[in-house]
């Protein structure tokens, strides 16, 4: 029996330059199935660049990135089969209902579910039943993100990429979101989350990485560090 | 996958009140224009029928008369109205609908509708072809300009890409989703027109109607491709809309105007004065039926006497006055033929230039095909005037022959029997059949096909750059 968990996300010497300016410098990341890796750092530290590279929305200047061993550049469509992505502000089709949005995106991924199944996923993602058929334009930000989670669940995604998903959510919605992440963790989903929320990172994350000016300057396990230590660590790196 | 994307577009379209309002307004506009055209058509048809019958009665009512008098008395040839002119009146308004057929002269067409109207008619009329040629392309552009840009701006495009959809699938799905509502709208507009046409003229050749419908559907497919491509290539919806409006202005307004100015400057028609002077000059060179003393008439007399081996005109077995009249008529016919052929060759050259310029704008081949299928283009008008001239020449021949064979030299008082008038058939104008129309439009059809493939090419270029 092989006890070592599978590597879900892996980057090797990943570099991204914009017009000669370094946005991401030599990133080596390895995230296992079931991990929740929280990327911390000031704006412009390279968090979003990392996520965009993993989704192949931008091409790396050099280096490689893999999702379950699949090269995200060379085999982009294959690598996306296992990916789910929720940006800071998840925009959906306003004129369609929540359930129609879910059905559409699943259809694009080649998946077809019955209405009951779709509703079950929405319920699991924590969306209240009476909102399923409402147009998305009436949804709050938290409700839209639940559609994103439902999509990840229905797609059976193995890797979840989150770009500041909890910013702008009220504490209750933020707490619900964390619970959903924990549930996905139980399904062995690997999560990479860029965030500014140190508290949430400590509460939810298994790993913490601090980025500064394109460099991953510190990596640590959350269980080994307290709230105050984390804050101090963060500030030390950012102020240096 | 493509259908899945298109279905979502249709769902959104169906829920957009802007769409529904625009569609309702266009359908209403089309209904009004058809109603107006219907009234004009029936009024015109009634007048035409009255004039045609009145004219025949007038002609036959001359009774016993001198054939050459009858030739000067003259009669009218009327251009029939075609049912498809309801959809596309083409140049009908400017060409006129009747020709006076008389001895010695090829007259121009009269009853030009535009001449009967006030300056306000310059602002144009609402006709189905205006809606189809100008309004619907504009609607396609306004409705589709942000179909891709909005997804890129909102970020939904990323979510779409995350599901492993290829750019080509996405773009083709978008194209289909934007095109199908237009197909639906066009079908309604044509169904309305077909109902009206079926009431007015059930004998219409339906191939023309179907072909016209297909031509417009291809036109809209091209415009949809261009709109979706521009939307995909633009950074934001504003740039996309401005670019598309510029394309609309250039292809539907600027290029057609520039094309007509350009062709007129490269292949100008002679002025009316030049034309008439040239005709008069050439006429003078030959026999004038009314002038026995001219050199040409003297020469004809000598030649004829020689041919018949007689020493005086009285000895000829026919009335030489009428014979000369016919020879004069034949000479004049040749002169007219020559000069009208010159005009026609200018028209041919202009048409050639137009067709070459059609490569610059999909509007032009569609404009020409539509008029041609409706039998309201300039070629149809030429065919009509040529047919009228042929009829006039035949009419003169019958009258002069009767005159020559049944009277003596100098007998200008000869009266032919009234039955002679009935020998002159009524003028009939046969419009070309479908295959002839297709054949004469092969260049336009070719260019439309080139445009179709180019616009598919635009879609693929856009999907590669997405």
């Amino acid at each position: 029996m092989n006890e070592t968990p599978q590597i879900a996300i892996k980057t090797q010497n990943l570099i991204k330059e914009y017009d000669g300016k370094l946005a991401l410098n030599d990133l080596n990341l390895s995230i296992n199935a079931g991990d929740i890796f929280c990327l911390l750092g000031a704006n412009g530290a390279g968090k979003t660049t990392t996520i965009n590279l993993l989704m192949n929305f931008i091409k790396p200047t050099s280096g490689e990135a893999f999702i379950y061993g699949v090269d995200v550049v060379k085999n982009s469509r294959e690598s996306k089969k296992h990916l789910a992505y929720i940006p800071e502000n998840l925009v959906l089709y306003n004129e369609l209902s929540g359930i129609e949005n879910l059905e559409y995106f699943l259809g694009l991924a080649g998946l077809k579910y019955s209405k009951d199944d779709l509703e079950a996923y929405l319920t699991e993602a924590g969306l209240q039943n009476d909102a399923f058929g409402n147009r998305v334009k009436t949804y709050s930000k938290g409700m839209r993100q639940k559609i994103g989670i439902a999509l990840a669940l229905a797609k059976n995604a193995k890797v979840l990429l989150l770009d500041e998903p909890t910013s702008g959510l009220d504490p209750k919605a933020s707490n619900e979101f964390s619970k959903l992440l924990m549930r996905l963790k139980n399904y062995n989903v690997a999560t990479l989350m860029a965030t500014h929320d140190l508290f949430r990172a400590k509460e939810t994350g298994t790993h913490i990485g601090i980025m500064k000016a394109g460099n991953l300057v510190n990596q640590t396990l959350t269980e080994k560090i307290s709230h105050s230590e984390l804050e101090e660590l963060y500030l030390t790196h950012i102020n240096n | 996958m493509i259908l899945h994307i298109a279905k979502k577009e249709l769902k959104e379209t169906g829920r957009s009140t802007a769409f529904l309002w625009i569609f309702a307004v266009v359908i209403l506009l089309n209904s009004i224009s058809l109603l107006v055209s219907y009234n004009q058509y029936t009024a015109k048809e009634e007048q035409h029928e009255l004039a045609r019958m009145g004219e025949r009665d007038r002609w036959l009512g001359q009774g016993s008369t001198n054939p050459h008098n009858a030739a000067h008395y003259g009669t009218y040839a009327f251009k029939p109205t075609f049912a498809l002119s309801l959809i596309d009146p083409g140049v009908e308004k400017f060409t006129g609908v009747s020709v006076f057929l008389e001895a010695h002269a090829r007259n121009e067409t009269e009853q030009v509708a535009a001449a009967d109207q006030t300056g306000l008619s310059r602002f144009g009329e609402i006709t189905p072809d205006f809606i189809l040629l100008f309004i619907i392309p504009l609607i396609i552009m306004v409705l589709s300009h942000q179909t891709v840009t909005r997804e890129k701006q909102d970020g939904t495009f990323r979510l779409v890409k995350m599901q492993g959809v290829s750019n080509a699938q996405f773009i083709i799905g978008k194209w289909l989703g934007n095109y199908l509502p237009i197909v639906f709208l066009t079908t309604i507009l044509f169904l309305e027109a077909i109902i009206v046409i079926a009431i007015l003229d059930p004998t219409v050749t339906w191939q023309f109607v179907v072909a016209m419908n297909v031509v417009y559907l291809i036109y809209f497919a091209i415009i949809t491709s261009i709109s979706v491509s521009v939307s995909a290539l633009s950074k934001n919806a504003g740039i996309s809309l401005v670019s598309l409006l510029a394309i609309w202005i250039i292809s539907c307004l600027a290029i057609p105007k520039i094309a007509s100015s350009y062709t007129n400057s490269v292949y100008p028609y002679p002025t009316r004065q030049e034309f008439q002077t040239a005709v008069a000059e050439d006429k003078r060179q030959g026999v004038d039926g009314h002038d026995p003393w001219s050199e040409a008439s003297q020469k004809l007399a000598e030649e004829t006497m020689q041919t018949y081996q007689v020493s005086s005109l009285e000895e000829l077995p026919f009335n030489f006055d009428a014979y000369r009249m016919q020879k004069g008529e034949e000479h004049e016919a040749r002169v007219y033929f020559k000069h009208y052929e010159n005009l026609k060759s200018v028209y041919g050259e202009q048409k050639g230039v137009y067709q070459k310029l059609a490569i610059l704008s999909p509007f032009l081949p569609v404009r020409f095909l539509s008029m041609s299928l409706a039998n309201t283009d300039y070629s149809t008008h030429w065919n009509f005037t040529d047919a009228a001239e042929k009829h006039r020449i035949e009419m003169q021949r019958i009258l002069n022959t009767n005159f020559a064979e049944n009277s003596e030299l100098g007998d200008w008082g000869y009266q032919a029997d009234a039955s002679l008038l009935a020998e002159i058939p009524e003028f009939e104008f046969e419009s070309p059949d479908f295959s002839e129309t297709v054949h004469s439009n092969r260049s336009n059809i070719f260019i439309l096909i080139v445009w179709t493939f180019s616009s598919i090419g635009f879609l693929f270029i856009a999907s590669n750059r997405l």
Side-chain angles (χ1 to χ4, degrees), chain B residues 283-300:
Chain B
K283 270 188 175 178
R284 253 200 303 281
Q285 306 297 319
V287 178
D288 175 350
H290 284 295
D291 181 3
W293 316 113
S294 74
E295 210 175 296
S297 295
Q298 294 288 340
K299 205 172 144 223
L300 176 71

Side-chain angles (χ1 to χ4, degrees), chain B residues 421-435:
Chain B
L421 298 170
E423 276 179 46
I424 313 278
E426 237 189 303
F427 174 73
E428 299 264 357
F429 177 59
E430 290 286 325
S431 57
D433 65 23
F434 186 66
S435 60

Side-chain angles (χ1 to χ4, degrees), chain A residues 69-187:
Chain A
V70 180
D71 191 308
V72 301
V73 179
K74 288 181 191 146
N75 218 338
S76 153
R77 282 178 76 182
E78 173 70 20
S79 74
K80 282 172 184 155
K81 272 192 181 158
H82 312 295
L83 275 181
Y85 163 66
I86 300 176
E88 178 183 351
N89 189 13
L90 182 63
V91 179
L92 301 164
Y93 300 105
N94 278 330
E95 292 304 325
L96 303 185
S97 68
I99 198 162
E100 284 171 334
N101 267 287
L102 182 61
E103 188 190 15
Y104 176 60
F105 286 112
L106 287 171
L108 293 181
L111 300 168
K112 201 159 168 48
Y113 287 103
S114 69
K115 196 168 175 264
D116 287 345
D117 286 341
L118 293 172
E119 288 181 347
Y121 284 119
L122 288 173
T123 308
E124 194 177 353
L127 192 71
Q128 57 271 40
N129 280 29
D130 54 359
F132 290 175
N134 293 347
R135 305 252 171 117
V136 159
K137 63 182 170 196
T138 64
Y139 279 25
S140 69
K141 184 176 164 179
M143 286 162 85
R144 277 184 273 125
Q145 279 175 337
K146 284 171 183 168
I147 304 279
I149 295 287
L151 181 57
L153 287 167
K155 234 181 122 178
N156 200 10
K158 291 181 189 158
V159 171
L160 188 59
L161 301 173
L162 305 171
D163 198 353
E164 299 184 24
T166 53
S167 73
L169 288 188
D170 64 60
K172 182 171 169 281
S174 188
N175 178 269
E176 278 175 7
F177 192 78
S178 294
K179 280 185 185 153
L180 285 170
L181 292 188
M182 298 307 283
R183 184 181 295 204
L184 288 164
K185 175 178 153 50
N186 293 335
Y187 290 136

Side-chain angles (χ1 to χ4, degrees), chain B residues 116-164:
Chain B
D116 265 352
Q117 293 170 328
T118 66
L120 279 177
S121 73
R122 186 67 190 82
F123 294 114
E125 285 158 3
I126 287 281
T127 47
D129 73 311
F130 176 74
I131 296 173
L132 292 165
L133 281 165
F134 293 95
I135 305 279
I136 293 189
L138 196 60
I139 289 174
I140 295 174
M141 289 173 170
V142 169
L143 295 181
S144 311
H145 77 277
Q146 55 170 353
T147 186
V148 181
T149 43
R150 194 181 48 204
E151 299 230 10
K152 282 201 292 184
Q153 279 179 296
D154 287 355
T156 44
F157 179 58
R158 288 192 150 198
L159 222 51
V160 169
K161 288 292 290 172
M162 280 300 298
Q163 315 311 321

Side-chain angles (χ1 to χ4, degrees), chain B residues 134-350:
Chain B
F134 293 95
I135 305 279
I136 293 189
L138 196 60
I139 289 174
I140 295 174
M141 289 173 170
V142 169
L143 295 181
S144 311
H145 77 277
Q146 55 170 353
T147 186
V148 181
T149 43
R150 194 181 48 204
E151 299 230 10
K152 282 201 292 184
Q153 279 179 296
D154 287 355
T156 44
F157 179 58
R158 288 192 150 198
L159 222 51
V160 169
K161 288 292 290 172
M162 280 300 298
Q163 315 311 321
V165 176
S166 77
N167 283 351
Q169 285 174 326
F170 181 67
I171 288 281
I172 296 170
K174 280 282 181 188
W175 178 85
L176 196 62
N178 280 280
Y179 182 51
L180 288 179
I182 298 298
V183 173
F184 173 71
L185 179 64
T186 313
T187 307
I188 292 180
L189 301 188
F190 266 89
L191 278 179
E192 285 188 306
I194 285 168
I195 290 169
V196 177
I197 290 170
I199 293 169
L200 288 176
D201 182 9
T203 64
V204 70
T205 314
W206 291 104
Q207 278 167 311
F208 286 94
V209 187
V210 172
M212 196 188 257
N213 197 345
V214 168
V215 165
Y216 279 109
L217 286 177
I218 293 174
Y219 179 45
F220 300 148
I222 294 169
I223 303 284
T224 308
S225 299
I226 294 173
S227 303
V228 173
S229 305
V230 169
S231 179
L233 293 172
S234 301
K235 281 212 160 48
N236 62 54
I239 293 174
S240 176
L241 185 60
V242 170
S243 313
L244 285 170
L245 287 180
I247 289 173
W248 182 81
I249 290 169
I250 290 168
S251 53
C252 292
L253 300 177
I255 289 180
K257 301 267 176 201
I258 292 168
S260 67
S261 308
Y262 174 73
T263 39
N264 264 326
S265 70
V266 181
Y267 295 106
Y269 277 111
T271 64
R272 181 180 294 256
Q273 199 196 7
E274 281 166 358
F275 181 77
Q276 284 171 346
T277 314
V279 168
E281 180 55 36
D282 275 358
K283 270 188 175 178
R284 253 200 303 281
Q285 306 297 319
V287 178
D288 175 350
H290 284 295
D291 181 3
W293 316 113
S294 74
E295 210 175 296
S297 295
Q298 294 288 340
K299 205 172 144 223
L300 176 71
E302 270 159 38
E303 280 171 4
T304 316
M305 288 191 290
Q306 233 168 36
T307 312
Y308 284 87
Q309 302 284 317
V310 292
S311 50
S312 77
L313 292 172
E314 283 82 356
E315 292 170 54
L316 284 169
F318 45 78
N319 181 348
F320 183 73
D321 281 334
Y323 180 77
R324 188 181 59 235
M325 199 61 79
Q326 176 57 20
K327 287 295 156 192
E329 204 61 65
E330 284 167 18
H331 163 64
E332 283 154 356
R334 276 193 301 274
V335 169
Y336 280 116
F337 181 77
K338 175 185 145 196
H339 287 278
Y340 275 91
E341 280 306 304
N342 284 346
L343 286 188
K344 240 160 104 174
S345 76
V346 174
Y347 166 65
E349 303 277 14
Q350 290 203 346

